[in-house]
Amino acid sequence: MEDWMSDGPITMEQILSDWARGAFLAAYPGTVPDGLSAGVVPTADEQFGDYQCNAAMALAKVLKKSPREIAAALAAAARPAAVERLEVAGPGFVNFFLDPEWMARRLEQVQADERLGVPEPGRGRTVVIDYSSPNVAKPMHIGHIRSTVIGNALDRLHRFLGWRVLADNHLGDWGTQFGLLIMGFRHFADPAAYESAPIDELERIYVKSYDKSKEDPAWLDAARAELVKLQQGDAGNRALWQSFVEHSLREFNRIYRRLDVSFDLVRGESHYNDRLPGIISKLREQELVRESEGALVVFLEDEKLPVCIVRKSDGAYNYAATDLATVTSRAEEFQPEAVIYVTDERQQLHFRQVFAIARKMGLATRLVHVWFGLMRLPEGTFSTRQGNVIKLERLLDEAEERALAIVKETSPQMDEARQREVARAVGIGAVKYADLSQNPQSLVTFTWEKALALEGNSAPYLQYACARIASVLDKYRERFPGGDPMAHPIRLGEPLERRLAVRLLRFPDAVVRAAEVYKPNLLADYLYELSQVYSAFYQNVPFLKAGEGVRESRVRLCDLVMKVLRRGLTLLGIETPDRI
RNA sequence: GUACCUGUAGCUCAAUUGGACAGAGCAUCUGACUACGGAUCAGAAGGUUGGGGGUUCGAUUCCCUCCAGGUACGCCA
């Protein structure tokens, strides 16, 4: 077999696609377009083999030959070692059937590899991932979980794929709300409440101050004045603001700890405050900005985008200016290959505008907006005003409680501390998985039932599979004290073993692809499918009762499944306890 | 008004970016050896992919149009 580890591992799809490309070029020299995508992909149905190549049909027009003839030429080429046989089917599909012997040897190599065959295409390049980014003085609610959990999964995926990741929590810590907050704090604050539950108190104050501003113009003017003082560096206001930020962060960090999320940088909008005038002068120098109705705006008709205000008519900077300052600062300081923003769908236009302006300013960094659908409640959008927000902390509490009830029922022999620990991992895992297992861009309607699902396609199903394997491995050691599975080769005899092997070998592609298209759900799907095949294997193929040799081979497969599930779930930020 | 997004089984969601008969999980119905852990497994049933046109060998995917819902759009972030 090929020496796939010598230059870093390559994935199954890469091996087969490279081969197919080479075979096409050899069969039709000079006529195959350079950009040919000879993509070999997993088949949807086992009867068509393990992988398929569909390029023959696409090539038919270019080569002016029938697709079946082209497919036949591919099928007749010298096969790669991984492939047992090739078949032409339908209008011109080429089906690949992998060789069980080859798979067995490859799995043995994967088992010995800490990275389980996953390559490192990042090659040390830098990427900034901007996610979570809650607003200071407001509680995190269920709407924040998507950015946090999806962003964190992308963070972990990129790190594992060899990127130097800078996870940046771009706090909303600057803006007009602070005038109202300062006024409110001076008049309505309850010091004891502020100490014990700072964000709840700040929220209460804000709402009260906001309501008052609606009916009292003098109050609103005073709030504006406080904001100006804050922005001019007034010591008292500055100290208050600082206190708001610190108290908020304390609460955010409590949630991040529960979610096992951490950042390399926590830089709020205020961090870039000093750079705002510089951005405006640069835009002026490059003649990108124009005055309109007192405001400074950038026209983006050439990009088919509406006009973008970068400085308001009262001289204050807005969100676009802050984000331009932020992105140029990141580019200068870290020279990233890419900056990834993880926010909800409402900011699509904003980022398209900011990216367009950044490009006009000469910024070459790849900028990506990974947006996700807004979280809604069955009765509609939630809002602070309607009072129907569900706080993130409450969701996590509820998840752990429900999980605890089930653990107590199913594992009564476990001591209580252990039960709580398992319930924590299972509950938090379920909440994360509920978000990570669906396409980020779909609309999400929040229901308790879905967020806390503990069976079927859910984190606990995967955790259960892991726990069961851990238990099997223990039993093996108990019953066969001198046994060493690694001393025996892997054999793929049963159809279910073969199916399992094919799934196991797809892991690297699942990881690479999930990161490439910014969709953790592709990895979640993969892990779920692997678990399903494993569960079928577990239920239908005896292994501890099998004869020596076969037994060890099957134990090795179990071990591999556990390693892949653990690694995959870790990449999604989900824990895998030994027992659940 | 303009732009973007969404619409798939009763419900909640997938579908490797144009591939083969559209797949899972809930829920419903049938089954599973005193067994390595039943949070499981084997199976059944469930569909005009919002409607209608078009491109293509081939469309949930691309184009046009209509319907329904959502979001954003010169001084909130």
Side-chain angles (χ1 to χ4, degrees):
Chain A
M1 76 192 282
E2 303 91 319
D3 186 6
W4 62 287
M5 294 292 281
S6 65
D7 191 30
I10 45 174
T11 68
M12 288 306 301
E13 290 182 32
Q14 283 165 354
I15 291 176
L16 300 176
S17 298
D18 286 353
W19 171 82
R21 198 183 146 70
F24 278 126
L25 289 172
Y28 303 101
T31 48
V32 175
D34 284 347
L36 166 73
S37 142
V40 175
V41 297
T43 50
D45 189 327
E46 254 181 350
Q47 64 167 302
F48 302 127
D50 304 306
Y51 287 86
Q52 62 180 9
C53 177
N54 306 325
M57 291 168 291
L59 275 173
K61 280 215 182 79
V62 190
L63 299 181
K64 297 198 171 71
K65 289 182 191 303
S66 91
R68 281 199 64 106
E69 185 186 335
I70 299 168
L74 183 68
R79 282 176 282 113
V83 176
E84 187 177 41
R85 66 196 165 90
L86 293 164
E87 276 178 8
V88 177
F93 297 108
V94 179
N95 297 331
F96 294 60
F97 294 79
L98 296 183
D99 177 41
E101 268 306 306
W102 185 91
M103 287 196 284
R105 301 294 82 75
R106 173 123 174 161
L107 284 176
E108 286 163 5
Q109 294 183 0
V110 168
Q111 195 157 31
D113 175 20
E114 288 217 335
R115 299 184 52 80
L116 300 167
V118 178
E120 295 185 82
R123 298 189 305 278
R125 288 174 293 168
T126 300
V127 59
V128 175
I129 308 183
D130 178 330
Y131 68 94
S132 195
S133 310
N135 287 323
V136 161
K138 287 187 191 160
M140 288 177 84
H141 53 75
I142 54 171
H144 291 106
I145 198 172
R146 303 206 84 194
S147 176
T148 307
V149 166
I150 294 170
N152 187 243
L154 295 175
D155 173 348
R156 290 165 182 264
L157 281 165
H158 280 84
R159 249 174 247 275
F160 188 61
L161 292 172
W163 291 83
R164 170 188 174 229
V165 175
L166 295 166
D168 191 359
N169 192 1
H170 191 61
L171 297 177
D173 66 352
W174 204 246
T176 45
Q177 77 268 28
F178 284 97
L180 283 169
L181 213 44
I182 288 170
M183 273 300 281
F185 192 83
R186 292 237 161 89
H187 291 80
F188 312 131
D190 172 348
Y194 184 52
E195 263 318 299
S196 61
I199 296 188
D200 286 347
E201 178 61 4
L202 287 173
E203 189 193 24
R204 185 186 70 84
I205 289 167
Y206 178 77
V207 169
K208 203 163 169 184
S209 183
Y210 177 82
D211 288 346
K212 195 167 167 68
S213 73
K214 284 280 170 200
E215 49 202 46
D216 184 353
W219 181 269
L220 187 59
D221 287 342
R224 285 204 182 107
E226 294 299 343
L227 179 67
V228 172
K229 275 167 69 184
L230 172 66
Q231 290 177 339
Q232 286 168 348
D234 172 85
N237 280 8
R238 193 82 192 184
L240 262 186
W241 169 81
Q242 189 74 37
S243 161
F244 297 158
V245 172
E246 279 165 14
H247 279 87
S248 299
L249 265 176
R250 214 171 63 202
E251 287 206 22
F252 294 157
N253 284 334
R254 198 169 65 223
I255 291 178
Y256 292 141
R257 226 171 296 129
R258 289 182 78 176
L259 290 174
D260 192 18
V261 165
S262 61
F263 298 93
D264 302 288
L265 300 168
V266 181
R267 291 184 178 175
E269 290 158 8
S270 62
H271 180 85
Y272 305 95
N273 209 30
D274 295 343
R275 299 179 63 100
L276 295 173
I279 286 294
I280 300 299
S281 29
K282 192 157 181 215
L283 286 169
R284 279 211 162 102
E285 275 165 34
Q286 301 185 312
E287 295 180 356
L288 292 170
V289 77
R290 265 191 271 167
E291 200 151 326
S292 169
E293 297 171 36
L296 286 179
V297 304
V298 180
F299 284 95
L300 296 165
E301 284 130 335
D302 51 338
E303 308 268 350
K304 288 186 185 155
L305 290 171
V307 66
C308 179
I309 296 183
V310 291
R311 202 183 72 184
K312 301 191 284 182
S313 53
D314 65 1
Y317 305 97
N318 66 2
Y319 193 31
T322 310
D323 267 346
L324 286 168
T326 303
V327 74
T328 50
S329 165
R330 284 169 173 164
E332 278 171 32
E333 189 175 351
F334 306 118
Q335 283 95 43
E337 166 106 358
V339 181
I340 300 172
Y341 297 81
V342 186
T343 82
D344 71 52
E345 61 180 322
R346 290 176 300 185
Q347 305 202 26
Q348 281 184 86
L349 176 58
H350 165 72
F351 280 114
R352 282 171 65 195
Q353 291 176 318
V354 168
F355 293 174
I357 297 172
R359 275 195 300 274
K360 285 176 187 287
M361 292 174 78
L363 191 78
T365 313
R366 183 159 55 94
L367 302 173
V368 182
H369 182 210
V370 176
W371 59 265
F372 52 85
L374 210 53
M375 179 88 80
R376 301 159 49 76
L377 293 175
E379 61 268 30
T381 316
F382 57 77
S383 71
T384 318
R385 263 180 302 129
Q386 290 174 36
N388 61 352
V389 291
I390 298 173
K391 288 184 184 162
L392 192 42
E393 205 141 35
R394 174 155 168 248
L395 171 66
L396 302 183
D397 290 343
E398 180 89 20
E400 291 187 24
E401 276 166 34
R402 293 196 192 197
L404 185 60
I406 291 174
V407 173
K408 285 193 176 203
E409 203 179 299
T410 55
S411 304
Q413 78 293 350
M414 213 180 256
D415 64 79
E416 180 155 353
R418 183 78 179 183
Q419 285 177 332
R420 287 193 178 281
E421 183 50 29
V422 168
R424 195 187 56 74
V426 168
I428 302 292
V431 167
K432 286 187 170 190
Y433 189 87
D435 253 325
L436 291 170
S437 62
Q438 64 182 297
N439 186 328
Q441 302 190 343
S442 56
L443 289 169
V444 176
T445 303
F446 178 88
T447 60
W448 286 101
E449 187 192 28
K450 198 192 340 165
L452 305 176
L454 299 174
E455 49 189 10
N457 188 358
S458 67
Y461 179 92
L462 304 177
Q463 291 168 322
Y464 178 69
C466 284
R468 224 160 37 167
I469 294 172
S471 171
V472 164
L473 298 180
D474 286 350
K475 284 259 161 55
Y476 174 81
R477 281 186 285 270
E478 252 171 56
R479 291 200 202 164
F480 307 98
D484 176 13
M486 297 306 158
H488 297 260
I490 289 177
R491 310 178 195 178
L492 302 172
E494 295 285 326
L496 277 170
E497 291 177 293
R498 194 189 184 286
R499 275 173 70 190
L500 199 52
V502 171
R503 296 307 181 291
L504 284 167
L505 292 176
R506 285 181 188 166
F507 178 61
D509 280 307
V511 174
V512 168
R513 184 161 180 81
E516 262 173 10
V517 298
Y518 313 109
K519 286 183 174 180
N521 70 303
L522 296 181
L523 178 57
D525 278 354
Y526 164 81
L527 294 174
Y528 181 61
E529 197 194 329
L530 174 66
S531 292
Q532 278 183 308
V533 174
Y534 174 77
S535 293
F537 168 67
Y538 172 88
Q539 207 86 18
N540 297 298
V541 179
F543 26 94
L544 292 186
K545 286 186 284 188
E548 189 177 8
V550 173
R551 176 173 64 223
E552 277 69 19
S553 168
R554 289 179 182 163
V555 166
R556 287 189 74 167
L557 286 177
C558 286
D559 175 72
L560 255 170
V561 171
M562 183 168 73
K563 286 195 163 100
V564 168
L565 287 180
R566 285 225 155 119
R567 170 59 73 187
L569 285 170
T570 301
L571 289 174
L572 295 178
I574 294 171
E575 291 179 51
T576 52
D578 287 336
R579 299 281 180 273
I580 73 169

